[in-house]
Amino acid sequence: MAEPLNGAPLIENGWFLEKNSQWPGQANALQVKEVLLHKKTKYQDLLVFASTNHGNVIVLDGVIQITERDEMSYQEMLAHLPMFSCDPKQVLIIGGGDGGVLREVVKHSCVEKVTWCEIDGDVVEAAKRFLPSVAKAVGDPKVELLVGDGVAFAENSKENCYDVIIVDSSDPVGPAEKLFSKAFYVNAERILKPGGVICSQGECLWLNEELISIMVQDYGACFACAEYASIQVPTYPSGQIGAFMARKSGGKGEISCRWPRREPQEMELRYYTSEMHAAAFALPAFLQRRLEATNKKRRLSWQG
């Protein structure tokens, strides 16, 4: 695993250069207008800066997490892919300290309660201060915010508690490392209700083909269906990131999450549509072949 980086030294000649051994030979760059915050939290290096063209930016351990300009593509897809794949009342969010996924989840009128576990309270406070339009749902009355270890919380949760679990984690380095394990997903399956859906940050298909294969084949083995959906985020490495999705057995209807079960109707959205939902599951040939080759015993349901 790559060592976490200090974000401040990555600012060179007025540009933040996202150089990292996790994506060797390439670096995204954003022009910096002003550094707004830089501190070491209990868990990670936290940098917030105002950019010239992408609004305010949060960086954790040297890796861009969110920009105001393109955040809606990630937040809306990671939230609404699972939320529109069922009729959720009880939702668990692990991670997502900026509050963007939370903002999208509470748009669903069917939701009765959201339990939100974020390990680093300093990230929540930074988002409230510097990205208020993203963190606008932090004080929603349906939301219970627990600042602590989401893995430990899930381990201590009762069986069949949640309709949807969303894991909005950073890369598998530092505090997010425990979220990328088979043990975590075995437990997640336990606490989901029958037919419930988990959706996790699933890494980049251009950089993490092996990990994606492991997630679908191994982490998804205890679920009725495990799939990978693609999301376009210009300021993430290679401009793309994925959503790993899996559904617990025992529910009604189609087990694949590829087709939404409800329509957005009057929901205020900037990126997600029913058409974008279905299209996210169309994968490039090289990744489709890889997932087919490693998943022969349980093919993705939409492939027949």
Side-chain angles (χ1 to χ4, degrees):
M1 293 293 184
E3 289 297 321
L5 295 176
N6 183 337
L10 296 176
I11 299 176
E12 303 175 13
N13 300 317
W15 289 80
F16 175 82
L17 298 175
E18 194 184 40
K19 296 182 290 186
N20 194 296
S21 60
Q22 295 182 88
W23 38 88
Q26 67 183 69
N28 190 21
L30 294 178
Q31 192 170 12
V32 178
K33 183 162 60 176
E34 178 186 4
V35 174
L36 302 173
L37 175 69
H38 183 227
K39 65 182 292 187
K40 292 284 186 180
T41 75
K42 182 179 178 181
Y43 299 98
Q44 54 204 337
D45 183 88
L46 169 61
L47 172 68
V48 184
F49 66 85
S51 68
T52 57
N53 295 86
H54 287 75
N56 289 349
V57 181
I58 292 180
V59 178
L60 297 178
D61 288 336
V63 178
I64 294 170
Q65 303 297 310
I66 181 172
T67 81
E68 288 184 297
R69 181 173 179 177
D70 62 9
E71 55 89 11
M72 74 286 196
S73 61
Y74 177 77
Q75 316 282 15
E76 291 188 15
M77 293 296 279
L78 197 71
H80 298 309
L81 284 173
M83 295 295 289
F84 281 112
S85 294
C86 59
D87 297 293
K89 296 180 179 180
Q90 299 290 327
V91 179
L92 172 63
I93 300 174
I94 297 177
D98 54 60
V101 165
L102 175 70
R103 178 193 66 195
E104 299 305 315
V105 165
V106 299
K107 291 178 180 179
H108 292 257
S109 59
C110 56
V111 171
E112 296 176 356
K113 182 179 179 181
V114 182
T115 304
W116 179 26
C117 295
E118 164 57 44
I119 197 168
D120 197 337
D122 286 337
V123 177
V124 178
E125 292 306 313
K128 288 164 61 178
R129 180 180 175 187
F130 297 111
L131 287 88
S133 65
V134 176
K136 62 192 293 185
V138 172
D140 190 285
K142 293 183 179 180
V143 178
E144 179 184 12
L145 171 58
L146 304 173
V147 177
D149 186 344
V151 174
F153 177 83
E155 289 174 348
N156 293 314
S157 296
K158 296 180 180 179
E159 294 183 6
N160 304 321
C161 287
Y162 300 104
D163 300 293
V164 166
I165 299 173
I166 301 174
V167 183
D168 180 9
S169 71
S170 52
D171 296 308
V173 179
E177 193 167 358
K178 292 188 292 184
L179 296 168
F180 289 83
S181 70
K182 186 171 184 177
F184 171 75
Y185 284 95
V186 169
N187 186 62
E189 190 272 345
R190 179 186 67 84
I191 66 176
L192 276 172
K193 295 179 182 179
V197 176
I198 184 168
C199 180
S200 302
Q201 188 274 102
E203 294 297 319
C204 176
L205 60 83
W206 297 108
L207 301 168
N208 308 107
E209 186 179 345
E210 176 66 24
L211 177 56
I212 292 167
S213 177
I214 290 171
M215 294 183 80
V216 172
Q217 180 190 24
D218 295 341
Y219 301 175
C222 58
F223 294 89
C225 181
E227 302 169 283
Y228 179 89
S230 182
I231 307 169
Q232 283 62 57
V233 187
T235 51
Y236 282 179
S238 301
Q240 188 275 342
I241 200 163
F244 167 66
M245 298 188 65
R247 188 189 299 276
K248 184 173 179 175
S249 63
K252 297 180 180 179
E254 171 63 47
I255 62 170
S256 173
C257 295
R258 187 173 189 177
W259 296 279
R261 294 186 175 182
R262 295 179 288 116
E263 293 293 328
Q265 296 179 342
E266 300 302 316
M267 194 176 291
E268 183 180 346
L269 299 169
R270 292 180 292 161
Y271 191 87
Y272 176 92
T273 65
S274 298
E275 292 79 12
M276 288 294 291
H277 183 127
F281 292 86
L283 303 179
F286 73 88
L287 182 60
Q288 183 173 321
R289 285 194 298 266
R290 176 67 178 267
L291 297 182
E292 287 176 346
T294 58
N295 208 20
K296 290 180 180 178
K297 292 184 179 179
R298 179 172 49 77
R299 292 171 61 85
L300 299 181
S301 63
W302 56 270
Q303 293 174 320

